[in-house]
Amino acid sequence: MTLSKGNLFANLAAILVCFIMIFPVFSTIVLSFKQQADVSHEPPLLFPCNTETEDFNLTACRFFVEGYERIISPKEDPDTLFGYKIDGRIINTYLPNTVFYTISTALLVTMFAGLAGYVFSRYDFPGKHLIMIGILAITGIPLLTNLLALFQLVVDARKFSAPFYEAWQASDTFSEDTITSMRNWQDRILLVMIYVGFFLPFSVWIVKSFFDAIPLELEEAAYIDGASPYQALTQIITPLAMPGLVASFLLTFVGVWNEFIANYLIVGSSKPALRGAIVGVYDLTGNNLINYQVLAAACVLVMLPVVLVFLFTRRTFFNAMTEGAVKG
Amino acid sequence: MHAIRRQSGFFARIFPFLLLAPALIFIFFVQLYPGLYTFYLSTRDTEGAVSKYIGFKNYDLVFNSAIFKESVVHTLIFLVGYVSLTLIAGLLVALVLNRKLRWSGLYITLIFIPWVLSDVIVGYIWKLYADPGSGLLSPFFALPILGLNGDPLLIASPPESYFEGIPFPPAPAMYYVIFAAAWKALPFTTLLLLAALQTVPKEVTESARIDGANHRQLFFNITLPLILPTLLVTLFNLTLGGMNGVGMIFSLTGGGPGSATEVLSYLLYSIGFGQLNFGRAAALSVVIFAVNLTLIILSLRISRSRAELI
């Protein structure tokens, strides 16, 4: 393609848009490597590279990892593998929580959406259209309006299970630490189940559209060869539907990783041990004395994994989203 | 649509329902039951130790509170600004990228990065920008033409309202929230509209061009009508997302200054989990839910391609 005048203009416009979309992320990364003196410098500095005579001198750049140190807070501890232990709650508690919530929700959603999407694509039964439209309508319902009831459900579940824990504690079946951790795991699992129910409807539709694209003849050939419905599903259809399942996994992954309000309100505000990374970052600003390079470092640490996942799998994202929105 | 396959045997007949069961059970417990329970809760006074039935009094209290009316206006201002800004910007970017530029793939990847960030993180990124003194945009906000009179953007109080009791025009922070939200929503909107633009058949635009249509006629008479369904679905999606997104308000303004950026979703949080008045918050939930449902039904009606798919 030749670079006509119109295309030159279009390229410039596209580069400008890219700049607007990327620059805030980039400058947050730069901010996270500044020291306090440069953070509060007036007028504000993009790069901490000014000298008394020059605005920008590459050799004068002052980059520090102070922000990350404050988030990670490594402490010397000869008992651990590398001689350090990590004291920062974002790293030692909140990020592992997020990883657990994210991976387990994405796996369960993908599995259940795969099964349901297959049925919707291949079987016919009374009430099917109604159920499908219902599920499509539910994709627009936010977590927000159900939060009060879900909160109440979790409280009820805690009340229901409390006598068991008390009995175990009274009879010394488990130590107190074990019981605390069991109570926490109960809440974590409940939160994952809430996420599964919330992210399922969208994934069902994504996966169904991928199943629809697989020719029925392949299955029929399998039946002729004597396969059972179960074998046809696991050995013929599932491998072909893999791109759809991967898309469901990734979209759920990003959604749960970034979820804030349910994690914060249902479990996180009362129990810090259950907070995910986003709630952890929000928690940092609870006291207004937070240094900006520290907040920026926390933001970078929390957004980095999900940005990397996206960059490596972007084609799947684009396919799934245009598939679901324009065609579906 | 695929053919029905009839198989004999009890297992073969219940097989599809077995596969469907886990999804339906989860959707029931997380979406349907809580919806019904919220409605039940909205008819009860939960402030005492034991809740009691009070009919629709909670709705009365919500509708007649000053903060509710104020939040409705804030929400409307936010939605109009956010949806129109995102749609127009998204359409312009999609039109640029639709020219099959050599680096289109790279552009769309870079443009898409804000979409994978959390609302809360996006709020912090823009909050850091607006910080008086150290924020990179603070010299810009201090320009006299913006009329902030040296007040920090996120703290400046709203101008005197034109109509009594209606918070219009909004506080400067509201424009900033709208901008930040549009920044985050732009990638997705662009992607959807780009996909719609790519379905416009080349033959149609080519023949119109041969017939002497200029760029503007081509856009308004050919392209726009063809992508209108996607445009409308996107409009409804943005409205739904904008009405229910609350993370950015949490991290960027906290509803402030005063209550100038307190939208309905944030009000729901502050009644329910701030004041711990579950009954009244449930009534507000039901109201928001009803609006959501109306939008969803409208969106389903308009998007005929979805209906055909079913």
Side-chain angles (χ1 to χ4, degrees):
Chain A
M1 196 181 293
T2 54
L3 205 62
S4 70
K5 207 173 167 190
N7 271 352
L8 180 68
F9 174 75
N11 272 302
L12 287 176
I15 289 168
L16 177 71
V17 175
C18 288
F19 178 79
I20 294 171
M21 301 312 276
I22 290 304
F23 185 75
V25 178
F26 172 74
S27 73
T28 305
I29 297 173
V30 175
L31 173 61
S32 71
F33 286 106
K34 284 184 192 169
Q35 60 175 344
Q36 186 58 40
D38 291 320
V39 169
S40 48
H41 188 278
E42 281 192 52
L45 293 170
L46 171 56
F47 294 105
C49 301
N50 63 329
T51 62
E52 281 178 23
T53 49
E54 287 170 286
D55 279 344
F56 184 87
N57 182 346
L58 205 58
T59 56
C61 282
R62 304 170 295 274
F63 286 114
F64 292 85
V65 289
E66 186 210 338
Y68 293 92
E69 256 174 27
R70 298 264 291 277
I71 290 297
I72 298 169
S73 28
K75 293 265 154 48
E76 269 186 67
D77 183 354
D79 296 342
T80 52
L81 188 58
F82 299 104
Y84 282 96
K85 74 177 167 70
I86 292 168
D87 256 9
R89 294 189 70 93
I90 288 193
I91 306 294
N92 72 13
T93 309
Y94 302 154
L95 267 175
N97 274 344
T98 292
V99 169
F100 170 74
Y101 296 144
T102 306
I103 303 274
S104 45
T105 307
L107 280 176
L108 288 173
V109 163
T110 305
M111 203 163 80
F112 298 152
L115 298 176
Y118 173 73
V119 171
F120 285 138
S121 171
R122 290 296 196 259
Y123 285 88
D124 228 339
F125 50 86
K128 177 180 143 179
H129 287 196
L130 198 68
I131 297 176
M132 281 176 60
I133 293 180
I135 289 180
L136 183 57
I138 283 173
T139 57
I141 303 288
L143 257 178
L144 185 80
T145 54
N146 283 340
L147 272 183
L148 296 158
L150 292 169
F151 179 84
Q152 195 62 49
L153 268 179
V154 173
V155 169
D156 288 346
R158 279 182 193 153
K159 266 190 204 145
F160 175 79
S161 58
F164 297 99
Y165 293 125
E166 277 155 22
W168 280 327
Q169 194 155 11
S171 64
D172 273 336
T173 316
F174 298 109
S175 73
E176 207 171 313
D177 287 351
T178 317
I179 288 177
T180 311
S181 117
M182 280 163 77
R183 281 174 188 256
N184 285 343
W185 277 106
Q186 178 187 336
D187 281 2
R188 284 193 191 103
I189 289 166
L190 284 173
L191 185 64
V192 165
M193 288 168 51
I194 288 170
Y195 285 152
V196 170
F198 178 68
F199 286 97
L200 251 174
F202 185 64
S203 278
V204 169
W205 272 90
I206 294 275
V207 174
K208 177 194 176 287
S209 71
F210 276 88
F211 277 126
D212 283 346
I214 301 171
L216 198 60
E217 289 73 29
L218 281 172
E219 250 169 298
E220 275 161 359
Y223 287 118
I224 292 166
D225 291 346
S228 70
Y230 174 75
Q231 284 171 320
L233 178 58
T234 52
Q235 287 167 26
I236 311 289
I237 301 299
T238 308
L240 287 168
M242 229 3 137
L245 299 176
V246 172
S248 154
F249 183 90
L250 290 173
L251 289 172
T252 311
F253 183 98
V254 173
V256 178
W257 188 280
N258 290 335
E259 206 286 327
F260 166 72
I261 194 81
N263 183 208
Y264 178 57
L265 293 181
I266 294 181
V267 294
S269 57
S270 57
K271 288 190 179 178
L274 304 175
R275 287 176 190 161
I278 304 282
V279 180
V281 176
Y282 179 69
D283 200 40
L284 277 182
T285 53
N287 53 2
N288 281 323
L289 299 168
I290 179 81
N291 295 112
Y292 289 148
Q293 71 277 28
V294 181
L295 178 59
C299 286
V300 171
L301 283 174
V302 170
M303 70 189 177
L304 196 65
V306 81
V307 170
L308 288 179
V309 165
F310 163 71
L311 287 178
F312 282 113
T313 57
R314 57 190 181 280
R315 245 165 248 294
T316 317
F317 273 93
F318 294 151
N319 285 346
M321 273 180 302
T322 45
E323 182 97 17
V326 176
K327 213 188 78 192
Chain B
M1 197 85 273
H2 294 283
I4 313 161
R5 217 179 23 241
R6 296 222 175 274
Q7 280 179 321
S8 52
F10 177 69
F11 180 73
R13 253 185 296 138
I14 63 159
F15 182 64
F17 297 100
L18 285 178
L19 299 189
L20 214 49
L24 293 186
I25 289 170
F26 271 98
I27 290 172
F28 175 81
F29 275 105
V30 177
Q31 309 259 18
L32 293 182
Y33 169 75
L36 296 172
Y37 185 82
T38 306
F39 182 72
Y40 161 81
L41 209 57
S42 74
T43 61
R44 303 188 73 83
D45 177 2
T46 54
E47 283 182 292
V50 181
S51 77
K52 58 177 190 286
Y53 178 77
I54 52 164
F56 289 93
K57 203 159 157 252
N58 279 324
Y59 292 86
D60 236 30
L61 288 168
V62 167
F63 282 130
N64 290 320
S65 65
I67 185 79
F68 173 75
K69 285 171 199 155
E70 216 180 281
S71 299
V72 169
V73 178
H74 290 152
T75 309
L76 287 176
I77 294 171
F78 172 77
L79 285 178
V80 170
Y82 162 73
V83 173
S84 51
L85 181 61
T86 315
L87 267 188
I88 294 170
L91 185 57
L92 289 177
V93 178
L95 284 169
V96 167
L97 293 178
N98 195 36
R99 297 179 63 108
K100 311 247 181 322
L101 305 173
R102 183 182 294 171
W103 299 295
S104 271
L106 177 66
Y107 294 145
I108 191 86
T109 304
L110 291 178
I111 287 172
F112 218 73
I113 286 177
W115 183 79
V116 298
L117 306 182
S118 161
D119 278 354
V120 176
I121 303 288
V122 171
Y124 283 130
I125 288 178
W126 290 98
K127 191 188 170 103
L128 290 170
Y129 263 172
D131 182 72
S134 72
L136 289 177
L137 288 177
S138 60
F140 170 72
F141 294 135
L143 292 178
I145 196 169
L146 292 180
L148 291 172
N149 301 325
D151 286 342
L153 176 85
L154 293 176
I155 297 167
S157 50
E160 207 157 310
S161 78
Y162 294 167
F163 318 98
E164 181 131 5
I166 297 174
F168 184 85
M174 182 60 96
Y175 299 110
Y176 199 58
V177 173
I178 289 173
F179 179 79
W183 181 78
K184 159 124 169 82
L186 182 73
F188 189 53
T189 312
T190 303
L191 187 73
L192 293 191
L193 295 177
L194 182 60
L197 284 175
Q198 284 168 351
T199 62
V200 174
K202 260 230 142 51
E203 300 78 40
V204 180
T205 47
E206 278 306 312
S207 63
R209 201 179 313 226
I210 290 164
D211 290 344
N214 62 26
H215 276 300
R216 190 187 304 167
Q217 287 170 326
L218 211 59
F219 176 73
F220 283 105
N221 298 337
I222 310 275
T223 312
L224 199 58
L226 282 171
I227 63 164
L228 197 61
T230 307
L231 215 53
L232 286 172
V233 170
T234 315
L235 184 141
F236 282 110
N237 282 345
L238 285 173
T239 313
L240 272 173
M243 207 163 103
N244 302 305
V246 70
M248 205 176 290
I249 304 278
F250 264 88
S251 58
L252 185 51
T253 67
S259 61
T261 55
E262 192 159 309
V263 290
L264 280 174
S265 50
Y266 195 82
L267 181 68
L268 172 58
Y269 154 77
S270 62
I271 294 179
F273 295 91
Q275 304 166 19
L276 287 175
N277 191 331
F278 270 40
R280 212 170 298 170
L284 184 55
S285 285
V286 173
V287 174
I288 297 178
F289 177 85
V291 180
N292 284 338
L293 200 63
T294 316
L295 288 169
I296 292 164
I297 291 170
L298 281 176
S299 153
L300 287 181
R301 295 230 145 183
I302 286 167
S303 146
R304 194 180 295 162
S305 61
R306 280 184 191 226
E308 275 169 6
L309 200 81
I310 298 164

